[in-house]
Amino acid sequence: MARQISFHHSVSVERQVSIPMRDGVCLTADVYRPKSAGDQLLPVLLMRLPYGRAIASTVTYAHPSWYAHQDYIVVIQDVRGCGTSGGDFEPFRAEYEDGYDTVRWCAEELAGSSGKVGMYGFSYQGVTQFQAAVMQPPGLVTICPAMATADLYHGWFYFGGAMCLDFDLTWALQLTQNRAQVLKQEPTATKIFQAQQQITSWLHYTPLKELPPLKDEPLGQFFFDWISNSQPNAPYWQELNPLSRFDHYDLPALHIAGWADLFIEATIATYDAACLATPQPQHLIAGPWQHMPWVQQVGELDFGAGAASQIDRLQVAWFDYWLKGIDQGVMAALEAGTTALPHRSVQLFLMGENCWINHAAPTESALPHAKESITMDEQLTFYLADDFRLELEPVAESETLPDIYTYDPRIPTPSTSYGFYDQRPCQNRWDILVYRSGILTKPLTVVGIAECTLYAATTAVDTDWVVKLLDIYPDGREMLVSMGVVRGSKVQAVTPDEILKYVIPLRPTAQVFAAGHRLGLTVASAAFPLIERHSNTLISPDAVIVSEFVEATQQIHHSERYPSQLRLPVADVD
C-alpha cells in the first residue's frame, strides 16, 4: 500500500504507488515531490526500469529526490514483472502499451501533475522511452534517452552479425537473478547468483542452447530467444524494435552516448534515425564514457575534469525548456555553430585533446562515414603492407605474399572489455596480426566511423573478421580506440580459399592521435568474450558443440590487386 513519507527536508516520497494498466495488471512506482510546491501544478519526469525502483539509475544520474528538488514530480516505476509490479517479465515485450498507459496516468491522473511529461534514463530505461514515444501517449512532450537504441539487433545484442556474448549472457543472468530475488524463489535466486560469480566458465559453455543455469529456468527463457534469432529481419526483433514503428516518432529528444560504451554504434544510429523521422529537435551529446559510471576515468585513461558528467544539469535545463517554457539558453548552446539544420546538433568529447566540440553534422548522419566514394580531403587512407606496416601510399606490387594466421575456436583470440584498455596482453599470440603506422609528425583528428576493407581468404565455409583501431603511445601502450566485426556469411556466401572483399565499419569515435604516437590495426577472427567465438562452420552458433569446431587458416592479402586498407574520417578542429 502506498504511503507518503518525508524523504528529506525539501522532498517527500510516496512509495509503491499502484498504476493500473489496460489489462488490469498494476505496476508500482515511487513518486517524489518537492515540499515547496503547495498547490502548484508541476511537470512529471518518468523513468521505467527493470532493476528495482530504489536503484533509479543512480549509477549514472543524481537521485530522483535531486530532480524533484528542481520542482518536478518524479515517478520511478518498476516495469511489468519486476520489483513489486504485477505481471510476468519478458524484456521489452510489454513496454509499448505499459509505457503508453503509464505516461497517460502521469499526465491525466497523477495528483499535482501539470499534464506535461518527460522521460529519462539510460540503457533499458532509454529503450522504454522510444517504445513509449512511438505510441504517442497524451502528455509526453520530450525524452532524454541515453546509451539506448531503437534497433535491438544491431549494436545491442549483435555486432556485425556476431552475438555480443559477454553482454547477452551476463545481462540475462542479472535479469533472471533479479526476478528470482524479488520473488524469493529458492534455490533459483542462489543458483543464478552463483552462476554470475562463475561467468567466465559459462561463457565457454557449448552448446549455448543447453546452458545449464538458464536451460530449465522459466524466468530466463528470453536468453534463448536472443541467441536463436540470429538474423536481423527475424519477426522477434521487428516486434520489439521501436525502429519498426518510427513513422510514429515525433518528439524532441536529447540523446546521450558514450564513446567507450558497448552500445555506441546503436546509439548514434538511433539518433540518425530520429533525425530522419521527425523535424522536432534532436540533439546528441557524446562523452568518453563507458556504460557506467560516467566519470573522467574511462578504462585505463583519465580524460580530465572536463569529462566528468554534467548530464543531470543539462537534462534539467532541457526539461525546463520543453516542460516549463523556461529558457536557460540550452537550445542556443546546443545549436551554436553546429549545423545548418536548426533541429539537430552534435556535441562531442574529443579524446586526446580532452575537450568538448560542437560538430557540424552531415545532413544524412550525425558523424561522417569513411567510404571509398568520398574524396581524399575528407578521409585518410592507410594501406596494409609487408612487414605489418600501415602506409599512406598503396602497395605498388601486383602480387605480394599474404599474411597468414590460424584461428582455432577452442582457444579463441581474447579481448579486453570495450573501452580504453591496453591491448598488448591480448596480442602476444599467433592468431592475431598487428599492423602499425610510422610515427605521426603532427596530430591526426579522427571523427566519425572508420572503415576497414580486407581482401581475405579462409579455409572454412564461414568465419569472423575482427579489426581493432589502436592508439599506440610512445611508451608502448596500444590503447583500443574502436573495433569492427563482420560475420562472413552475413555478407556473402563464403567459398573456402577464395579471396573475398569484406568492408568492415568500426564503431564511431572522436579521437586525436597525438604527434609522436602511431596508429595500429589488428586483424583476428575472434574477440572473446566480447563476441561469441565462431565455429568456422555453418552450424547455428547456439547449437554448435566443441567436436564440431573447425580450425581455419586465414589469409590477409595486401597488394595492388588486393588493396586492403583502413579509411579514417579526418576532421580539422580549431
Side-chain angles (χ1 to χ4, degrees):
M1 180 178 296
R3 61 190 182 95
Q4 185 92 13
I5 64 172
S6 178
F7 191 76
H8 54 62
H9 70 280
S10 64
V11 172
S12 62
V13 58
E14 188 176 6
R15 299 204 186 279
Q16 206 167 324
V17 175
S18 181
I19 304 175
M21 300 293 105
R22 64 187 66 185
D23 61 354
V25 170
C26 287
L27 309 187
T28 54
D30 292 342
V31 180
Y32 296 80
R33 301 173 183 270
K35 294 179 180 178
S36 60
D39 295 331
Q40 179 186 4
L41 299 180
L42 298 177
V44 179
L45 303 184
L46 169 65
M47 178 188 295
R48 308 187 61 248
L49 76 168
Y51 305 113
R53 302 187 308 276
I55 294 175
S57 291
T58 50
V59 293
T60 54
Y61 299 110
H63 192 270
S65 61
W66 181 87
Y67 280 89
H69 185 63
Q70 315 307 313
D71 289 327
Y72 287 93
I73 301 173
V74 183
V75 177
I76 309 297
Q77 183 190 57
D78 291 322
V79 300
R80 180 177 294 249
C82 294
T84 54
S85 286
D88 297 322
F89 175 67
E90 182 180 349
F92 307 110
R93 179 67 64 186
E95 309 306 359
Y96 292 108
E97 289 77 14
D98 287 355
Y100 179 100
D101 292 349
T102 302
V103 171
R104 187 202 59 76
W105 181 88
C106 289
E108 299 178 357
E109 299 184 33
L110 177 61
S113 169
S114 69
K116 293 184 176 181
V117 180
M119 296 182 73
Y120 77 108
F122 85 117
S123 198
Y124 192 103
Q125 298 84 272
V127 180
T128 64
Q129 295 176 60
F130 290 120
Q131 290 179 302
V134 298
M135 298 295 287
Q136 299 184 337
L140 185 58
V141 176
T142 186
I143 59 176
C144 290
M147 298 181 179
T149 181
D151 183 348
L152 291 164
Y153 179 90
H154 291 105
W156 185 284
F157 288 105
Y158 287 79
F159 179 30
M163 186 199 314
C164 298
L165 177 62
D166 192 8
F167 165 72
D168 292 1
L169 179 53
T170 301
W171 194 43
L173 291 172
Q174 178 190 1
L175 292 174
T176 305
Q177 203 283 328
N178 284 354
R179 185 61 176 150
Q181 184 86 8
V182 167
L183 296 174
K184 300 189 182 303
Q185 285 192 2
E186 291 291 359
T188 299
T190 297
K191 180 185 73 172
I192 302 299
F193 180 77
Q194 291 172 341
Q196 290 176 290
Q197 316 314 309
Q198 300 160 355
I199 186 65
T200 299
S201 62
W202 292 124
L203 287 166
H204 285 270
Y205 187 85
T206 63
L208 282 172
K209 68 178 184 178
E210 303 291 340
L211 189 80
L214 296 175
K215 172 61 177 175
D216 297 317
E217 176 46 59
L219 297 179
Q221 290 306 296
F222 48 80
F223 173 71
F224 302 103
D225 292 330
W226 299 345
I227 65 175
S228 63
N229 288 281
S230 60
Q231 299 297 328
N233 58 354
Y236 177 83
W237 301 116
Q238 298 312 307
E239 291 170 7
L240 296 185
N241 283 343
L243 187 64
S244 65
R245 309 187 191 193
F246 251 38
D247 54 339
H248 296 294
Y249 176 83
D250 191 30
L251 290 177
L254 178 63
H255 305 252
I256 300 158
W259 295 127
D261 178 35
L262 193 67
F263 305 145
I264 179 63
E265 175 189 32
T267 306
I268 299 293
T270 297
Y271 169 80
D272 287 340
C275 289
L276 293 174
T278 177
Q280 295 279 7
Q282 306 294 309
H283 297 299
L284 172 67
I285 308 294
W289 312 301
Q290 289 179 297
H291 203 56
M292 58 184 181
W294 302 346
V295 294
Q296 68 185 61
Q297 178 75 34
V298 187
E300 295 174 358
L301 295 180
D302 189 327
F303 290 100
S309 172
Q310 299 295 319
I311 295 302
D312 289 311
R313 296 195 178 280
L314 179 60
Q315 285 188 149
V316 167
W318 177 269
F319 286 133
D320 281 353
Y321 181 87
W322 290 104
L323 302 181
K324 297 179 180 178
I326 299 173
D327 189 355
Q328 298 185 26
V330 62
M331 297 297 290
L334 287 171
E335 293 174 356
T338 56
T339 176
L341 296 177
H343 75 291
R344 61 185 295 172
S345 66
V346 180
Q347 286 187 334
L348 311 178
F349 189 87
L350 188 60
M351 297 165 296
E353 288 290 328
N354 294 354
C355 64
W356 291 91
I357 61 171
N358 290 329
H359 179 61
T363 57
E364 75 281 2
S365 175
L367 297 174
H369 193 145
K371 292 180 176 292
E372 293 174 279
S373 60
I374 69 176
T375 60
M376 287 302 295
D377 61 355
E378 296 172 310
Q379 71 177 22
L380 188 64
T381 302
F382 285 88
Y383 296 88
L384 279 61
D386 287 340
D387 300 321
F388 302 104
R389 293 175 292 121
L390 290 175
E391 296 287 356
L392 291 172
E393 297 297 327
V395 178
E397 294 85 358
S398 59
E399 296 290 345
T400 62
L401 290 175
D403 296 323
I404 299 176
Y405 64 94
T406 300
Y407 163 59
D408 185 345
R410 293 172 298 179
I411 43 174
T413 318
S415 179
T416 65
S417 299
Y418 192 70
F420 307 106
Y421 295 97
D422 190 350
Q423 297 301 293
R424 287 177 296 177
C426 304
Q427 294 169 185
N428 295 323
R429 292 171 58 100
W430 62 94
D431 55 358
I432 185 169
L433 307 177
V434 185
Y435 299 86
R436 299 177 176 88
S437 74
I439 295 174
L440 298 175
T441 58
K442 60 181 181 180
L444 173 63
T445 302
V446 174
V447 177
I449 300 171
E451 199 167 76
C452 180
T453 294
L454 293 181
Y455 291 88
T458 177
T459 55
V461 294
D462 193 18
T463 198
D464 283 343
W465 303 103
V466 181
V467 296
K468 292 182 179 180
L469 175 63
L470 310 178
D471 184 359
I472 302 176
Y473 284 58
D475 63 10
R477 287 177 293 165
E478 301 198 347
M479 307 302 292
L480 178 62
V481 174
S482 183
M483 68 178 290
V485 178
V486 67
R487 176 147 293 182
S489 62
K490 297 289 181 73
V491 177
Q492 58 193 314
V494 177
T495 302
D497 294 314
E498 180 180 346
I499 301 174
L500 298 173
K501 178 181 178 180
Y502 298 93
V503 179
I504 309 171
L506 278 67
R507 284 176 169 146
T509 191
Q511 174 77 31
V512 176
F513 295 84
H517 288 218
R518 292 186 290 166
L519 273 72
L521 179 75
T522 68
V523 180
S525 292
F528 188 83
L530 274 181
I531 62 170
E532 60 176 327
R533 55 184 163 194
H534 201 304
S535 64
N536 294 325
T537 73
L538 293 175
I539 301 172
S540 175
D542 66 320
V544 69
I545 57 178
V546 172
S547 61
E548 294 167 322
F549 287 173
V550 174
E551 295 177 357
T553 300
Q554 319 288 58
Q555 299 181 24
I556 303 299
H557 292 257
H558 43 76
S559 64
E560 184 178 36
R561 182 180 180 186
Y562 299 115
S564 293
Q565 59 193 259
L566 169 68
R567 291 182 296 279
L568 302 172
V570 296
D572 183 12
V573 179
D574 295 331

